[in-house]
Amino acid sequence: MNPELIHIDDYLGGLNSENSSSADLHLLVNSDQVSFHQVELPDAPKSKWMSLLPWILEDELLLPVEEMHLVICSVDTMRQASVIAVPKKEIYRLQLLLEEQPAKIRSWLPDVLALPLEDGFITLAAVGDRILVRTDRFQGFSGSPDFVWQVLALRRSQGEVLQVQCFGLSEGSVPEWARDSSSFNSNSINWQFADLPSEANLLTGQFRQKASRSGFNFWLPSMGLGAIALCLLLSLVLVDHVKTGQELLLINQQLLREFEANFGASASSPERAQFEGAQLLRDRELRYLSVADSILPMAESLDAVLSSCSDCDLASVQLDTD
């Protein structure tokens, strides 16, 4: 059973809605404009087959070869190939119909190839007002009942023995000439039980499905812009840090020069200059206080003597340590 397999009519009509929102679907498309061919490929490299195929089929196609999309389904050892042809405009039309649909379509497959196949039998199935016909693994056609029975009558007139199994067709809907060679099954086709050949996928070549962007990939551009913005911010911070460091270096160099000019000594670093400067200032303060302690009492006494003598004219003072 293939729950991801759905017919395009059911999908666009909203049937099987539980599957319609699936992330991956295989879509059965109408085969009315699809043609199936058997051709002999030339003795050429496999890479050349697709370029040669349009000219091999030119006489069998109803439209110019450049307007047809071709799919090689299989090639046997004798280079006999099963080929599907579909007008490109039909694929474009279906793409427009599916453009707004939520599901990811993994493949398009002709619906006639979903019919059960039994050796020696042609399989017919009624789908709405159409009849689907499968005659071989990669062979079939579809259309209105009148068209289908005319084609089968022509093949019968050419001597082909027809054994037909019918699904969803009543005996009264079958031409009298075909009733004796037909078996009837009242059940309609359940697409989800179809065993479809994946080689018949129409989404090949220029119509190959592009890989969808995951939720993570969707955010990649935004994440990239965010990463660029973060790098720019870090660059600005780094530049500012470097600039600040250069300014600090200039200040420290100026401090060392001023220390050497004021104290007549050099220091290896600003921290060392601060320590040594403080030490020098303390030493000078102590020397000043030491001298001040030794002459202060004498200065006070001398000041008292000079204050009481208005006629004294002090010219000099000689101090004797004795």
Side-chain angles (χ1 to χ4, degrees):
M1 184 175 180
N2 300 314
E4 70 281 3
L5 185 64
I6 185 172
H7 198 281
I8 188 171
D9 293 340
D10 296 337
Y11 180 60
L12 295 176
L15 300 179
N16 300 96
S17 57
E18 67 277 6
N19 295 331
S20 298
S21 59
S22 172
D24 300 301
L25 287 180
H26 299 279
L27 206 62
L28 296 171
V29 298
N30 294 356
S31 304
D32 294 8
Q33 296 195 50
V34 179
S35 58
F36 302 85
H37 307 269
Q38 291 288 324
V39 299
E40 182 179 352
L41 295 173
D43 186 9
K46 185 177 180 180
S47 58
K48 301 291 185 180
W49 287 349
M50 285 305 301
S51 60
L52 297 173
L53 191 56
W55 314 114
I56 299 173
L57 286 172
E58 185 176 15
D59 295 336
E60 298 184 32
L61 300 176
L62 299 178
L63 293 175
V65 291
E66 62 271 11
E67 297 181 16
M68 300 296 291
H69 174 58
L70 305 176
V71 178
I72 298 177
C73 299
S74 68
V75 181
D76 64 17
T77 56
M78 302 300 292
R79 300 195 307 279
Q80 294 293 320
S82 297
V83 180
I84 296 176
V86 58
K88 292 180 180 179
K89 65 179 181 180
E90 175 65 10
I91 296 183
Y92 293 137
R93 185 185 71 85
L94 295 177
Q95 286 179 330
L96 287 175
L97 291 176
L98 298 168
E99 190 174 21
E100 302 299 327
Q101 299 300 322
K104 173 187 175 184
I105 309 300
R106 296 182 61 87
S107 64
W108 292 4
L109 302 154
D111 55 5
V112 296
L113 300 185
L115 301 182
L117 186 64
E118 186 175 344
D119 288 342
F121 282 84
I122 294 175
T123 304
L124 272 68
V127 178
D129 57 357
R130 301 165 55 236
I131 292 182
L132 278 58
V133 183
R134 188 178 187 184
T135 58
D136 207 337
R137 179 169 173 78
F138 296 109
Q139 294 290 317
F141 60 95
S142 66
S144 66
D146 289 342
F147 169 75
V148 167
W149 291 116
Q150 286 176 8
V151 172
L152 293 178
L154 178 61
R155 295 176 63 163
R156 178 172 176 266
S157 67
Q158 293 174 345
E160 184 175 349
V161 177
L162 301 179
Q163 293 291 323
V164 182
Q165 51 180 352
C166 303
F167 291 84
L169 289 168
S170 64
E171 187 172 348
S173 64
V174 175
E176 185 174 351
W177 61 263
R179 291 175 187 170
D180 292 340
S181 59
S182 300
S183 60
F184 297 92
N185 188 326
S186 60
N187 295 323
S188 59
I189 295 296
N190 187 333
W191 304 115
Q192 294 183 354
F193 285 95
D195 183 18
L196 226 65
S198 59
E199 301 90 340
N201 180 17
L202 301 179
L203 297 180
T204 60
Q206 70 180 92
F207 299 106
R208 187 182 303 275
Q209 289 288 83
K210 296 181 176 62
S212 64
R213 295 169 64 181
S214 66
F216 176 77
N217 289 337
F218 177 81
W219 290 103
L220 278 179
S222 298
M223 294 173 64
L225 291 176
I228 292 173
L230 180 60
C231 290
L232 290 175
L233 180 61
L234 291 176
S235 299
L236 291 175
V237 171
L238 180 60
V239 169
D240 184 66
H241 176 73
V242 172
K243 183 177 179 181
T244 302
Q246 292 174 342
E247 292 176 349
L248 288 175
L249 179 61
L250 293 175
I251 293 173
N252 290 335
Q253 291 174 348
Q254 181 65 26
L255 179 62
L256 293 176
R257 286 194 295 269
E258 291 181 358
F259 175 82
E260 185 175 0
N262 290 327
F263 295 102
S266 61
S268 59
S269 66
E271 293 79 7
R272 190 65 183 173
Q274 182 181 9
F275 175 76
E276 292 180 358
Q279 185 66 40
L280 288 172
L281 289 175
R282 283 196 297 270
D283 291 345
R284 290 184 180 184
E285 183 180 4
L286 289 175
R287 287 199 299 271
Y288 171 78
L289 292 177
S290 175
V291 173
D293 288 342
S294 63
I295 65 173
L296 187 58
M298 185 178 297
E300 289 178 350
S301 298
L302 185 59
D303 181 65
V305 172
L306 293 176
S307 298
S308 61
C309 181
S310 58
D311 296 331
C312 295
D313 186 9
L314 183 62
S316 64
V317 177
Q318 181 177 356
L319 299 177
D320 191 351
T321 56
D322 296 333

